[in-house]
Amino acid sequence: TPVPMAAAGDALRALTEAAVSRPAAADVLAEVPGMVEALLRLLGCPEVSDAALTLAQEVLSGGREVVPLDRVACLPQLAEALPPRGLALLCRALAVLLSRTADRSAEGAAGAPPAAAAPECAPPHLCTSCANNALLADLPSLLPRLLLLIARREPLQGLMPAPSPVTVRDLQELMERTGAWPGPGGAGGAAADGAALVLAPMAEALAFAAGVEG
């Protein structure tokens, strides 16, 4: 029987809370057969994709060992078939994994000195991190699709919460009062310059996300 998406979302959020509050839970989840593959598949389901991404990032970043991507049999299919938003979310999840450049499986127990540096990896004897890099490099459709994402003229919808125009206008009014926004209430001065350094980029990002023209 198919699981309702609402129930799946609740389960993902509950597991995320467990992984965040108990680091050992990330290890357990990473070892559950099919868990990582299921999470990456769910990135293509808009109803639960954000919750799946959050849990995937916790699992891929929080475990003691680097998760080998050869466990994810569907990865070539996902790289080829996910819609643009799903592909962008997949890249976010993979970026967390690839940031773990050291193969933690070679480290000692918690509190023990780190193991001696291993010789430079060379095929066919690759550490998990290098094997993951090689696997991704061999996916024929991944790099071309990533280049198309980068070349998009318009941002993908739904990758960040879109603030309302009211939120943007409130922020602009705040900046006018502090002199950080060019307007009738802008006071200028050194304090305004400092406020502008912080607030102006925020307002521009919010306006862009909400589609508000200056």
Side-chain angles (χ1 to χ4, degrees):
T1 303
V3 176
M5 281 298 172
D10 291 340
L12 290 168
R13 285 183 284 273
L15 290 173
T16 300
E17 290 180 7
V20 170
S21 61
R22 300 177 59 189
D27 284 328
V28 174
L29 292 174
E31 294 298 326
V32 173
M35 171 60 77
V36 173
E37 180 169 354
L39 292 175
L40 298 186
R41 283 185 179 276
L42 288 174
L43 297 179
C45 301
E47 302 91 340
V48 296
S49 58
D50 291 334
L53 173 64
T54 303
L55 181 54
Q57 289 175 320
E58 289 296 330
V59 170
L60 295 175
S61 67
R64 290 174 299 165
E65 298 184 359
V66 176
V67 174
L69 288 177
D70 57 9
R71 293 182 186 173
V72 186
C74 67
L75 192 57
Q77 176 191 358
L78 294 178
E80 182 176 355
L82 277 175
R85 183 180 185 276
L87 180 63
L89 297 180
L90 175 65
C91 291
R92 290 185 180 184
L94 294 177
V96 170
L97 181 63
L98 296 181
S99 67
R100 301 178 61 172
T101 55
D103 186 352
R104 296 189 179 181
S105 63
E107 295 182 0
E120 184 176 353
C121 289
H125 306 292
L126 297 178
C127 70
T128 305
S129 295
C130 291
N132 286 345
N133 293 341
L135 187 151
L136 292 174
D138 287 341
L139 295 179
S141 60
L142 182 59
L143 182 58
R145 295 198 67 201
L146 291 183
L147 294 176
L148 289 176
L149 278 182
I150 295 171
R152 288 179 64 97
R153 294 183 178 272
E154 298 180 357
L156 292 168
Q157 297 295 319
L159 286 184
M160 59 182 294
S164 69
V166 174
T167 302
V168 178
R169 285 195 294 270
D170 288 345
L171 182 56
Q172 289 176 349
E173 291 175 2
L174 169 64
M175 296 177 69
E176 286 180 8
R177 290 197 299 271
T178 61
W181 187 281
D193 292 340
L197 289 175
V198 177
L199 294 176
M202 292 170 52
E204 292 174 2
L206 287 168
F208 179 77
V212 177
E213 297 182 359

